[in-house]
Every structure is written in structure tokens, then in C-alpha cells.
Amino acid sequence: MTADTPPPQRPMASGAKIIRYRGVIKRYGGFQALGGVDLDVHAGEVVCLIGPSGSGKSTLLRCTNGLEAIDGGDIEFEGATLPRDERALRAVRTRMGMVFQSFELFPHLTALENVAEGPRTVLRNDLAKANRRATAMLAKVGLADKASSYPSALSGGQQQRVAIARALAMEPDVMLFDEPTSALDPETIGEVLSVMKKLADEGMTMVVVTHEMTFARRVGDWVAVFEAGRIVEQGPPTQIFDAPTTERTRDFLSHLGWTG
Amino acid sequence: MTFDWSVVWQHRDALIAGTATTILLTVATMAIAVPCGIVVAILRLYGWAPVRALAAAYVEFFRNLPLILVVFWAFYVLPILTGLGLPPLATGLAALALNVTAYNAETFRAGINSIRRGQVEAAMALGMNRVQALRRVVVPQALRRILPVLASTWVSLFKDTSLVSVIAVTELAYVSMQIRAQSFRVLEMLTAMAAIYWLLGYPQAKLVDWIQRRFAVTE
């Protein structure tokens, strides 16, 4: 039933495979959240995971950095199977940045301290070095002037940009975005998407769970459509959005009112 | 009935010394019971199953005994257990610390439980281990959140230190009662004692309110 069609045109396919999902299975009790997912993410690619709520997109993302353990199949990161051992897993996590739907900034720390926290605590940078790095990352997301603000004083869009800066401060090889704009007011979605677009243009490898079809279409290099824990179709955005090959993709997009 | 307030002034040195001991007992008890309370709470939340059960048993044991009983218990049992003849002050401190640690452990446990799971996930996604996530992310937030509860524990403790007078710790209540017994100036000494407790307790409560406002975290 999976329509794992051979990739017709995949511009980054020559690049190294950064993440390989092979037959990934995840169960919660009797519920099968992922029922055998195959997907490749190449270096420099933006891979968008779309599909209805509860179809397994976020679960796959959370399995990628081991926040959830898989029950079957295999996830490879940079050529090595994702370790089960906590210590080895932590080393992998330092090379994957993650951005959450609900931001999850640390409310007791300023924007600068939030961004410097990873370099300080995990990479053991000294304070001056961590702060220099944090300042640069805040500037990159356009929030240099908010360094000393606490998260509660920032808008949702600003908080999410700080969260992106916090993930970038670890100098990750890949960025995982879990519905980064779903909790935002409509007027602040744009500022977050444009930061993400800029990252993509700089060549960052990104896996993005999103309901923003315009973003998936314009910025995505590869789109995977999820339904009930499986990928029902994957391909370049032109295929998914203009000439979907499966009824399920067409159904999903028409429910969203997607008109191309 | 005539009052003779000079008895208070006459014994000012003893009263000041007693007050100092009361403050010392309060500060020392909290200095022990806050870190120990955090440790017990963490053991109860994340420990190996038998350790969790032990921590829970400790909390439920000391939380549900009258403090005065724990004070007497410490006075008679601690010397047998440790083989040391502990001075009354150390015995009283031990009893208070055992009791307040149990209360603080429950307070911290509630505080830690109130921090969203996503905060730990965000910390782990950065590559932190569980101890780092607790130390850098969860505990600092939990501490701020439970400040009001710790504050009322502090104010209660300040008054409850008077219970160690039953084992002759020379704190404010014991000293006042001694002077009363010697001078027969009952109402004067009780009033003086009340005034000292209140005048010291009220600013502490206010100070704690201020700390709470100063360090409150809004989400």
C-alpha cells in the first residue's frame, strides 16, 4: 500500500544521506503510531512531512533524536544506526537541533541565556564564548535587541525565533522542526517561516513537520505525505502539490482547500 | 494586679541570646532542610524503586508525627543510635531538620511535577543528561514556583522552634519561661515573648513576599 515511488527528480540526491529511515515502527500500547516508514534525508535538503493530525509526522521527528524509542526498523544518522544507549544518544542530539511547537524556551532565563545554555552546559564553553555565540545566533534570527528579555516579554513569533537560535547555537548538522508555527498568531507566522527559509537557503539540512503548505511547496525539496502512520506518497513538491499520484494525497490537499 | 515591666529589661541579655538562638535554629534548619528536601524529592521521583519507597516512607513518617514527639524522640533516641551525647541545640536542630525536610520534600516534589514535560525534552534535545536537565532547567523553575510555600514553611518554622524548649534548648521560649518561673512575672514575660516573636516574624513574612515577587517567573 505504500507508494514509495522511485524518486523522479531529486536535486540533492547526490549529497550524502544524513538520515535514513527504514521500516520504522512505533507503537503506543496497542496503537501503532508508525507502521513502517521509509524515507531519506540528504545533506542540504529541506524535507517536509505533511498529513493530517495524528498521522505520525511528529512521532517520526521525535524518534529521529531519540526522544521516543522505536519499536522496529532502523534509523541511521550520518551513516550510523541511532544508538539506544543514553550517553551515545546525547552525543547524537548535540548534532541535531530541535524546535518545538510550544517553543519550550526556559522561562527563568533571558533570551541570551536560553541560547547560551546549550554551549555552556553541554559543550562546556566558557561564559564569554557561549555568550558571543548566543549573541551571533540572536542576531541571525533578527533578535539582537531582545537579548536581555525574558521569554514572557516576547511575542510567540519572537519566542520561536529564540528557540531556533537556541538550537542553532549547538552548530547542528540537521534541524528538526515540529510544527514550528502551529501555536503562533497568524501575524507572527511569517517572521518564523522567513527565518526558516533563510536557513534553508544557507544549506541547512532540515526536516520540517508542518501544516504550512505554501512553505512546503516553496522551500521544501522533498515532501512526504503521512496518513495513519505510513508515508502514502513522497516526492518533490511539484509532484505532491501539482500532480499527486495517490488518491490520499489528493484527499488530504483538498480537505485543506489547496488549489495549487 | 500590678505590672512590673522592668523584669523584661532586667533580663534583656538572656532574651537577646535566646532570640539569637531562635534565629540560628530557623536559619540552620532551613539550610539543611532545603537541599535535603530537594534530594529526597528527587529520590522519590526518579530513584530506583526501593529508594523511592524509602524516601516516601521517610516523608510520610515525619510529616504525620507531631513535631514535639519528634523532638522528644531525638532527645532520647539519637544518643542511643549515634552513641554521642549531643548537646540540646544539636538535638533540637536534628528534630526540626528531620521534620521540615519531609515537608520540603513534598513541596519540591509538587514543584518539580508542575514543570511541563516539554521543558525536560527541550533540555534533552540540546544534549543534556537528566541531572543537567534537573539542575539547569527543572529545579530552578520549581524553586521559584514553590517560593510561597517555602515562605510559609519558614514562618511556621520560626514559631515552631519554640517546641525544642521542651528539651532545654535555650532559645527564646525556653529563656522566657525560665525568667517567668524565677520572677513569677507571668503576663509580662508572655507578652514580651509574643512581642519579640511577632516583631521578628512579621518582617520575615514581608521579606519573603518581596523575594517571591522579585523572582517570580511568568510564562
Side-chain angles (χ1 to χ4, degrees), chain B residues 72-87:
Chain B
F72 276 123
W73 179 85
F75 184 72
Y76 289 112
V77 177
L78 270 187
I80 300 169
L81 280 182
T82 61
L84 299 169
L86 288 173

Side-chain angles (χ1 to χ4, degrees), chain A residues 62 93 104-105 117 152, chain B residues 116 119 121 124 136 218:
Chain A
R62 294 167 57 82
R93 285 186 185 133
E104 300 299 349
L105 289 181
E117 185 57 36
S152 57
Chain B
R116 296 197 296 278
Q119 287 283 301
E121 289 185 345
M124 304 225 319
R136 302 289 303 176
T218 44

Side-chain angles (χ1 to χ4, degrees), chain B residues 9-185:
Chain B
W9 182 249
Q10 208 182 314
H11 292 95
R12 61 189 182 279
D13 288 343
L15 286 171
I16 290 169
T19 305
T21 305
T22 291
I23 293 171
L24 172 74
L25 266 175
T26 310
V27 172
T29 301
M30 269 309 204
I32 296 169
V34 167
C36 289
I38 293 177
V39 169
V40 172
I42 286 173
L43 291 179
R44 194 171 173 188
L45 282 167
Y46 307 109
W48 182 51
V51 174
R52 279 209 304 270
L54 205 65
Y58 164 81
V59 168
E60 295 309 336
F61 184 77
F62 282 102
R63 208 163 59 122
N64 294 299
L65 280 182
L67 179 52
I68 196 160
L69 191 71
V70 179
V71 173
F72 276 123
W73 179 85
F75 184 72
Y76 289 112
V77 177
L78 270 187
I80 300 169
L81 280 182
T82 61
L84 299 169
L86 288 173
L89 183 68
T91 308
L93 179 60
L96 289 169
L98 281 170
N99 175 269
V100 179
T101 295
Y103 273 100
N104 284 354
E106 276 308 272
T107 307
F108 284 120
R109 192 166 70 102
I112 289 170
N113 276 337
S114 77
I115 306 300
R116 296 197 296 278
R117 194 182 140 80
Q119 287 283 301
V120 177
E121 289 185 345
M124 304 225 319
L126 286 174
M128 287 192 206
N129 60 38
R130 281 185 186 279
V131 174
Q132 288 170 328
L134 275 173
R135 197 167 48 82
R136 302 289 303 176
V137 175
V138 177
V139 170
Q141 288 183 63
L143 267 176
R144 284 164 168 82
R145 216 171 260 196
I146 61 170
L147 259 175
V149 186
L150 279 187
S152 51
T153 304
W154 175 283
V155 174
S156 298
L157 169 65
F158 179 69
K159 295 173 291 174
D160 289 347
T161 53
S162 58
L163 289 170
V164 301
S165 61
V166 299
I167 56 166
V169 178
T170 54
E171 44 66 70
L172 180 56
Y174 182 79
V175 169
S176 308
M177 293 302 162
Q178 288 293 103
I179 299 169
R180 180 204 58 169
Q182 289 157 14
S183 65
F184 304 108
R185 288 287 160 197

